[in-house]
Amino acid sequence: MQDFLEQYQTVLEHEVATWFKVGSVSDFPENSGACIKYKTKQIAVYNYTRMGKWYACQNMCPHKMENVLALGMIGDKDGIPKVACPMHKKNFSLEDGSNLGGEDYKIATYPVKIEEGNVYIGFVD
Amino acid sequence: MKRVIVVGNGMVGYKFCEKFVAQPDSNGFEILVFGEEPRPAYDRVHLSEYFENQDAEALEMAPRSWYESQGIKLITNERVTDIHRASKKVTTSKDLHYKYDYLVLATGSAPFVPNIDGIEKKGVFVYRTIEDLEDMLAYAETLKTDKEETIKAAVLGGGLLGLEAAKAVLDMGFEPHVVEFAPKLMPRQLDTRGSKVLQEKIESLGIKVHLSKATNKILGKGAITGMQFGEYDKIDVEMLVVSAGIRPRDELGKTCHLEMGVRGGIVVNNRMQTSDPEIYAIGEVALFNQMIYGLVAPGYDMAEVAVQQILGNPDVLMEDNIDMSTKLKLIGVDVASYGEPFMPVEKGYSIVYENKTRNLYKRINVSHDGKSLLGGILVGDASDYNMLHQIYLNGLPIPEEAEELIIGGRGEGGSSFGSVMDIPDVAQVCSCESVTKGDICCSITEGGCNNLGDVIAKTKATTGCGGCKPMVVDLVNETLKSQGKEVKETVCEHFAFNRQELYDLIKINKVKDYDEALNLFGEGHGCETCKPVVASIFASIHMETPNRQVAIQDTNDRFLANIQRNGTYSVVPRVPGGEITPDKLIVIGEVAKKYDLYTKITGGQRIDLFGAQLHELPLIWKDLIDAGFESGHAYGKSLRTVKSCVGSTWCRYGMHESVTFAIEIENRYRGLRSPHKLKGGVSGCIRECAEARGKDFGLIAVEGGWNLYVCGNGGATPKHAVLFAEQLDDETAIKYLDRFLMYYIRTAGPLVRTAPWLDKLEGGIDYLRQVIIEDSLGIAEELEKEMQGLINKYECEWKQAIEDPNMLKRFKHFVNSDDTDDNLVFVPMRDQKMPKAWV
Ligand code: SRM
Ligand SMILES: Cc1cc2nc3c(=O)[nH]c(=O)nc-3n(C[C@H](O)[C@H](O)[C@H](O)COP(=O)(O)OP(=O)(O)OC[C@H]3O[C@@H](n4cnc5c(N)ncnc54)[C@H](O)[C@@H]3O)c2cc1C
Ligand code: SF4
Ligand code: FES
């Protein structure tokens, strides 16, 4: 399980080597998440229509290593966009992956780009 | 610029840095820290959590970047090997030299490893650093074979740390054996009886305990295979964790001839100075009052004193009385001891309470005059620890009948402690971070904090061991109340209304959807608390299924199935009243076989099919619906089941047809969304085989009709339903039920079941009778109409979903691939399968 987790490292926009196309905008439900696959990685993608933003992060919750974050509800805490894990409701910032409950778990986030109605996620590999 | 060199980047060394840079007058200093471990200081107290997630960064006290941002130079992986006091220099393992003005030794301690024949064998570990744990995990991997029997591993030492290590060994999947030299567990904190109770509790967790055992040999060729105590007395184990106490890492003090304790430790005065006034020692290496304190709290206090002394505030001194109270943080076992756990007769007397059937042991030690609490022990239930600890620490008055402190006062909720607000402002509530009651209250009254989160962020209380959390919560709530800030119960930060107000607002204003509700009555972008509440309100007003506003449903409702431990789902078709034909049973069996699902009869008289993957759900439901099944709403806050007994149809005692009536009621309210789940029961006679009085509503057949009971539940706080009306005919029973349920749905808070709802209802059951039976509010007809409206609109949401290709899109693991989740691992289980257990 640890190896699975280790493959997820936050990617910043300027580091992106591959913009991987994951589908068209309409493939992603509004104001919630869906999961995509890139090589061995599972990435949760959120179409945050209400904020007019897109976010992506690892699908694996670091708490119990389950691939479930795409299924979590999104929202905000004090203005910070977040996802709540469906299993035990741990909250993660979608901006930087930090844990909003003050616990130690955190997640990797990835840049998202929309071009001509298509959705791209940025990876370094 | 003066230079402070800190040797050791452990918990206390880190705390020294944190406290130092927080001081306004620390600018004229430069801090250089050496740590022998490869990573920056981490939270050793929570070391065991590393087994759960193996996330070392998560344990860090602060990331490396923090040191940089504070201008602290941190050099890890480099040990200080020598101190040259004359030239005020240190030498490191890389043979580099650094000059200091002040030197702070925070080198901590090392596990004590007794000199036992064979202790150097492979498979013997200590429990102190992340590397120790990594080594243990790696070794454990090599032991795990396909052998059927569980592997045994021992822990040497039955103290606080040993028991924690035993729990870790248990969590690794091994059978733990605790070997203790003394005749009891936790010999330093517990008396014999308390220890006995603890032992029983520990053994019930599956941890084996061996007392009064002196290990004289570690058996095995290259690697450990067993431990030998006497000639014929041995146990077979394949791993050993030594947890037999600690020894201060005082080697630097020895070689540069600082004053040392006879049994080790660098002697310090109450300024934390060693025998060389420019060299300080803090934490577990420091011998203060002839003691080494193996706890973080005193270490943090020492750090504070050293910081102040170096910055030229000579009045800040180490207190003589050091509190050694402790609470074991083993999950599943409550143990605490505070003050003087044992009691010499000349100082006072003890009161002991023991309940063997519940594994409870409590002891308090009281002064001869009966006026003060000197210490005590709690085993089995340490929920009163914080308050007792405060009473002891602050010498608060105790009740005249001191035993009330352990057995509680008479009467409802009897707290003999008084209010948390009675403890003095200077009382230290969080000893890890030295936060007083005054700090907490002032952060609200003067510091602008408005809730628990603010207070924690501002004071750092609860961020250490977390043991003080319950007390901090109480203090925050009480202070907010006293400020008149008792913000009324609101749904969450996004809606400043309670559920009932929001229900009315949405209904009266004919709000269409969640976003509109948020725009009109809320702020921000919502969260996992308010979304399901609003979803439930929409369902209660319009009977809309979760298929309409998918994004605001809890994950279970979104996929119309309960998510399980490994991210698969369960499928529960409705079986009204528990009655099912052989043909339908066969269908369930066939479907389960086809999709390889684990099946179990639930506690609610129906069958649960577990282990379905997301993409399989619509396929499974299609098969079930074709055979005449519909959703059982096991995932929703909605009507679950109406349990029945076989009643007069078959039973020789039955008074009425309980099955028929249960089916009628279950079908009437199926799909009905409510603040919390709803369950019913119908029994054919007062023998009550359907457990109707354990339900939110229950009907029991009597001479002349049905007795109606309301507001019961099982679960964590069981409550018997109370008699509401007697000898009702079918029609009246249903009329009252309609009104009762609708009234509950309109007025209850989120996730409040009927029993706690009734508890809070002013006027209680009598008032409820007035509203429902006598129609005192004049709303009875309206309630009935509303309920009938909802019932008429019922639709099976699974049928809706599988018939609409658009809705089906959500049942797919990946958007961009037809692959399924390849991380799913199942293991066999009594001829079926189950998810691989969490590590
Ligand atoms: C499957 C089942 C256990 C079983 O294998 O028998 C079960 C399973 C769960 N129960 Fe239960 N309960 C089951 C019967 C019960 C019963 C017995 C009964 O209904 O007669 C009770 C006590 C009666 C009661 O509710 O008052 C019961 C009291 C609870 C509670 C405590 C409720 C309370 O008010 O204290 C929870 C927690 C909650 O709802 O917050 C809970 C929650 C759960 C959850 C939803 C926990 C979760 O969040 O995952 C479990 C979902 C399993 C799933 O995925 O299907 N379950 N649960 C039973 C399903 C019955 C059914 O056919 O729908
Ligand atoms: C599993 C476990 C559970 C615990 N639970 C609790 C608890 O519940 N409550 C509680 O109060 N306490 C608990 N403790 C004890 C607590 O962790 C210690 O009291 C605390 O860590 C002491 O801090 P320290 O900085 O003095 O020592 P340490 O944290 O040991 O730090 C000393 C550091 O100095 C380094 N060092 C040593 N010599 C040199 C050198 N010459 N040069 C450079 N670096 C050097 C060491 O490698 C180490 O990193 C627990 C300990 C363990 C192991
Ligand atoms: S009792 Fe607990 S573990 Fe068992 S099914 Fe209910 S919620 Fe799950
Ligand atoms: S698995 Fe995500 S919170 Fe527990």
Side-chain angles (χ1 to χ4, degrees):
Chain A
M1 279 302 158
Q2 199 53 23
D3 323 341
F4 282 122
L5 195 58
E6 262 160 23
Q7 60 176 331
Y8 298 110
Q9 300 290 343
T10 292
V11 174
L12 299 175
E13 187 125 14
H14 68 264
E15 300 166 345
V16 171
T18 316
W19 282 105
F20 179 64
K21 182 170 145 189
V22 295
S24 66
V25 167
S26 61
D27 290 336
F28 292 85
E30 291 192 356
N31 287 317
S32 52
C35 181
I36 63 101
K37 189 173 188 174
Y38 177 68
K39 296 186 182 169
T40 56
K41 294 189 181 74
Q42 296 195 15
I43 305 291
V45 182
Y46 305 96
N47 176 5
Y48 210 145
T49 346
R50 194 181 156 86
M51 279 190 167
K53 288 202 172 153
W54 288 76
Y55 295 98
C57 65
Q58 67 190 61
N59 192 32
M60 181 175 274
C61 179
H63 178 218
K64 293 289 175 187
M65 315 292 166
E66 299 294 0
N67 285 305
V68 291
L69 290 179
L71 314 177
M73 304 184 82
I74 56 174
D76 79 293
K77 183 174 184 210
D78 301 330
I80 303 170
K82 63 161 192 181
V83 59
C85 177
M87 288 281 181
H88 312 95
K89 300 272 145 80
K90 299 211 183 287
N91 276 218
F92 301 97
S93 155
L94 292 173
E95 297 277 6
D96 63 4
S98 60
N99 184 301
L100 297 175
E103 283 172 306
D104 297 331
Y105 308 103
K106 47 182 173 277
I107 55 173
T109 58
Y110 297 82
V112 188
K113 172 170 98 170
I114 308 295
E115 253 173 37
E116 296 175 354
N118 289 320
V119 184
Y120 298 82
I121 313 287
F123 294 98
V124 286
D125 53 336
Chain B
M1 193 72 118
K2 291 200 165 165
R3 180 190 272 170
V4 182
I5 291 187
V6 183
V7 185
N9 186 224
M11 295 187 76
V12 174
Y14 162 78
K15 192 52 73 174
F16 175 87
C17 297
E18 185 194 287
K19 287 180 182 281
F20 201 93
V21 295
Q23 293 296 322
D25 44 355
S26 62
N27 290 337
F29 292 83
E30 159 196 21
I31 304 185
L32 176 57
V33 184
F34 289 96
E36 174 198 46
E37 293 188 63
R39 48 188 114 239
Y42 52 89
D43 182 356
R44 216 177 290 288
V45 170
H46 291 106
L47 187 64
S48 299
E49 285 174 14
Y50 187 74
F51 282 114
E52 238 179 69
N53 50 24
Q54 281 145 64
D55 185 353
E57 262 176 43
L59 285 177
E60 273 174 10
M61 305 291 292
R64 216 173 259 280
S65 55
W66 176 84
Y67 295 86
E68 265 164 48
S69 69
Q70 300 298 321
I72 298 170
K73 185 141 196 249
L74 170 65
I75 302 177
T76 51
N77 232 337
E78 194 161 339
R79 189 163 51 91
V80 170
T81 50
D82 236 328
I83 300 173
H84 312 277
R85 287 166 55 188
S87 54
K88 293 188 93 184
K89 270 190 195 149
V90 298
T91 311
T92 74
S93 47
K94 299 217 170 104
D95 215 16
L96 296 172
H97 306 278
Y98 298 87
K99 234 182 123 26
Y100 66 83
D101 294 289
Y102 295 99
L103 187 61
V104 178
L105 301 177
T107 49
S109 65
F112 167 62
V113 181
N115 190 7
I116 299 171
D117 184 11
I119 195 92
E120 71 296 336
K121 291 204 161 71
K122 255 173 59 184
V124 180
F125 299 91
V126 292
Y127 197 72
R128 176 96 194 165
T129 66
I130 288 185
E131 284 69 28
D132 293 337
L133 266 55
E134 279 174 343
D135 292 348
M136 274 167 74
L137 283 169
Y139 190 75
E141 261 331 291
T142 67
L143 289 180
K144 286 188 180 151
T145 54
D146 345 289
K147 264 193 292 181
E148 271 291 299
E149 75 230 62
T150 28
I151 297 165
K152 295 180 185 147
V155 174
L156 189 66
L160 213 58
L161 269 183
L163 292 180
E164 203 180 311
K167 177 70 169 45
V169 166
L170 182 71
D171 290 342
M172 284 165 80
F174 295 162
E175 180 183 300
H177 290 252
V178 173
V179 177
E180 167 61 49
F181 178 72
K184 61 180 184 188
L185 291 174
M186 290 181 62
R188 266 184 293 164
Q189 291 90 359
L190 298 184
D191 58 13
T192 307
R193 283 170 80 180
S195 188
K196 196 87 210 134
V197 174
L198 170 67
Q199 185 181 343
E200 275 161 25
K201 183 83 210 202
I202 294 260
E203 284 170 340
S204 75
L205 289 179
I207 299 174
K208 306 272 188 304
V209 178
H210 309 263
L211 300 174
S212 308
K213 298 278 185 220
T215 312
N216 53 31
K217 195 168 180 183
I218 307 294
L219 305 170
K221 287 219 182 77
I224 175 170
T225 56
M227 296 163 75
Q228 182 167 310
F229 311 124
E231 202 172 334
Y232 301 106
D233 190 7
K234 64 174 191 105
I235 55 171
D236 296 330
V237 291
E238 292 179 59
M239 195 165 110
L240 172 65
V241 184
V242 178
S243 180
I246 53 172
R247 287 291 176 270
R249 298 262 324 250
D250 54 10
E251 54 275 11
L252 285 174
K254 254 183 234 157
T255 50
C256 75
H257 307 294
L258 295 174
E259 189 190 339
M260 306 288 290
V262 215
R263 283 189 291 141
I266 301 175
V267 174
V268 291
N269 60 17
N270 59 0
R271 300 164 190 263
M272 291 298 115
Q273 281 163 323
T274 64
S275 54
D276 177 337
E278 257 115 35
I279 303 182
Y280 292 77
I282 56 179
E284 285 187 345
V285 71
L287 190 72
F288 175 65
N289 281 348
Q290 285 148 35
M291 273 272 284
I292 295 285
Y293 303 89
L295 295 172
V296 276
Y300 284 5
D301 290 342
M302 293 176 179
E304 172 74 25
V305 171
V307 165
Q308 297 295 348
Q309 291 291 337
I310 292 174
L311 289 176
N313 304 316
D315 302 340
V316 183
L317 300 171
M318 191 68 188
E319 303 242 0
D320 270 338
N321 271 335
I322 290 183
D323 179 31
M324 291 296 283
S325 306
T326 39
K327 189 166 160 207
L328 183 66
K329 52 189 188 303
L330 255 186
I331 311 130
V333 187
D334 261 14
V335 187
S337 92
Y338 54 94
E340 175 59 73
F342 314 110
M343 181 94 291
V345 270
E346 66 279 7
K347 272 169 75 184
Y349 64 94
S350 305
I351 302 173
V352 169
Y353 168 84
E354 183 172 349
N355 182 336
K356 279 235 166 72
T357 54
R358 291 177 50 214
N359 281 342
L360 269 183
Y361 178 79
K362 299 182 182 186
R363 169 178 180 154
I364 49 171
N365 301 320
V366 179
S367 60
H368 283 302
D369 61 7
K371 292 222 164 85
S372 44
L373 179 64
L374 303 177
I377 295 172
L378 295 166
V379 183
D381 173 10
S383 49
D384 293 336
Y385 169 71
N386 280 311
M387 202 61 205
L388 289 168
H389 186 203
Q390 286 299 337
I391 294 176
Y392 152 71
L393 278 180
N394 299 294
L396 301 186
I398 59 175
E400 216 158 292
E401 304 297 337
E403 74 253 28
E404 284 177 18
L405 287 176
I406 38 179
I407 53 178
R410 318 267 154 232
E412 200 77 354
S415 167
S416 29
F417 299 137
S419 154
V420 274
M421 296 307 272
D422 295 344
I423 63 174
D425 278 351
V426 294
Q428 206 171 71
V429 173
C430 170
S431 46
C432 295
E433 292 290 339
S434 304
V435 186
T436 62
K437 174 198 162 199
D439 297 338
I440 292 170
C441 299
C442 284
S443 71
I444 295 171
T445 51
E446 285 153 34
C449 295
N450 280 315
N451 53 46
L452 182 67
D454 292 354
V455 173
I456 291 175
K458 185 156 181 134
T459 62
K460 296 193 106 184
T462 77
T463 58
C465 71
C468 59
K469 185 103 177 240
M471 186 164 250
V472 174
V473 171
D474 285 350
L475 281 172
V476 168
N477 288 346
E478 289 297 315
T479 313
L480 284 174
K481 241 188 241 170
S482 71
Q483 293 273 300
K485 274 194 203 161
E486 196 199 6
V487 240
K488 65 173 180 182
E489 262 176 57
T490 60
V491 169
C492 67
E493 67 173 81
H494 302 106
F495 287 98
F497 298 101
N498 67 23
R499 182 182 170 279
Q500 186 178 354
E501 291 165 339
L502 210 50
Y503 178 98
D504 292 338
L505 285 170
I506 289 177
K507 192 169 169 190
I508 295 162
N509 294 290
K510 301 201 164 54
V511 177
K512 326 188 279 307
D513 58 23
Y514 174 80
D515 268 356
E516 188 183 329
L518 191 54
N519 293 339
L520 286 174
F521 314 117
E523 54 186 287
H525 302 285
C527 68
E528 74 279 9
T529 305
C530 60
K531 285 179 175 179
V533 171
V534 174
S536 154
I537 290 175
F538 273 104
S540 296
I541 297 175
H542 306 297
M543 199 72 183
E544 72 175 52
T545 68
N547 291 324
R548 192 174 85 89
Q549 302 187 59
V550 176
I552 60 167
Q553 308 297 330
D554 234 327
T555 307
N556 281 352
D557 277 302
R558 178 171 166 199
F559 298 106
L560 307 176
N562 285 321
I563 192 165
Q564 305 294 326
R565 308 178 65 104
N566 61 349
T568 59
Y569 293 83
S570 73
V571 170
V572 190
R574 184 166 297 292
V575 179
E579 183 187 82
I580 185 164
T581 61
D583 282 338
K584 279 191 159 174
L585 271 178
I586 289 171
V587 171
I588 291 188
E590 281 169 351
V591 168
K593 252 188 166 164
K594 182 164 162 193
Y595 296 96
D596 189 19
L597 304 172
Y598 167 98
T599 55
K600 178 183 178 300
I601 311 285
T602 71
Q605 293 192 331
R606 42 195 193 169
I607 299 169
D608 204 339
L609 307 142
F610 293 88
Q613 296 188 42
L614 196 54
H615 68 279
E616 293 174 325
L617 286 174
L619 306 172
I620 294 171
W621 275 104
K622 169 126 200 348
D623 288 358
L624 289 171
I625 287 170
D626 285 347
F629 285 102
E630 58 181 11
S631 169
H633 302 95
Y635 43 81
K637 297 296 172 227
S638 59
L639 180 85
R640 295 287 171 87
T641 62
V642 178
K643 191 170 172 177
S644 80
C645 72
V646 72
S648 62
T649 331
W650 290 90
C651 177
R652 64 200 153 118
Y653 294 113
M655 317 270 300
H656 302 300
E657 278 194 55
S658 46
V659 185
T660 310
F661 202 38
I663 295 176
E664 184 184 339
I665 296 175
E666 182 161 340
N667 283 336
R668 183 171 181 81
Y669 301 124
R670 66 194 162 172
L672 182 68
R673 253 54 188 196
S674 47
H676 205 312
K677 58 187 169 200
L678 281 173
K679 298 180 178 183
V682 183
S683 276
C685 81
I686 43 116
R687 284 169 195 77
E688 242 285 72
C689 299
E691 299 173 305
R693 290 193 62 200
K695 306 286 181 244
D696 298 278
F697 55 90
L699 293 146
I700 300 178
V702 290
E703 198 61 59
W706 301 101
N707 280 0
L708 173 61
Y709 294 81
V710 294
C711 302
N713 60 245
T717 318
K719 201 118 199 183
H720 269 147
V722 282
L723 182 61
F724 186 71
E726 289 179 272
Q727 294 177 309
L728 308 175
D729 56 30
D730 289 16
E731 211 176 300
T732 317
I734 286 184
K735 187 166 80 182
Y736 288 173
L737 269 179
D738 279 0
R739 294 178 184 176
F740 161 72
L741 290 175
M742 203 62 227
Y743 187 54
Y744 161 69
I745 288 173
R746 272 195 188 180
T747 57
L751 301 180
V752 177
R753 273 187 86 172
T754 52
W757 168 73
L758 179 63
D759 265 353
K760 272 202 174 169
L761 193 69
E762 231 166 285
I765 189 77
D766 292 329
Y767 176 76
L768 189 61
R769 275 197 204 102
Q770 283 162 21
V771 177
I772 303 301
I773 302 178
E774 291 154 30
D775 193 15
S776 59
L777 299 180
I779 55 170
E781 201 182 326
E782 193 184 316
L783 292 173
E784 277 175 52
K785 259 210 196 126
E786 258 173 67
M787 180 59 89
Q788 194 57 49
L790 296 180
I791 292 165
N792 295 344
K793 282 196 226 151
Y794 167 77
E795 239 184 293
C796 171
E797 52 220 39
W798 259 114
K799 191 153 185 286
Q800 265 179 351
I802 58 173
E803 285 173 355
D804 182 337
N806 240 339
M807 291 185 185
L808 280 181
K809 264 170 72 177
R810 79 186 104 127
F811 299 97
K812 213 176 152 211
H813 192 78
F814 294 113
V815 168
N816 64 336
S817 156
D818 287 329
D819 289 356
T820 55
D821 184 0
D822 49 10
N823 284 356
L824 286 183
V825 188
F826 290 98
V827 294
M829 166 76 157
R830 288 185 295 275
D831 299 332
Q832 300 199 61
K833 66 173 183 185
M834 62 172 270
K836 190 165 174 247
W838 280 332
V839 277

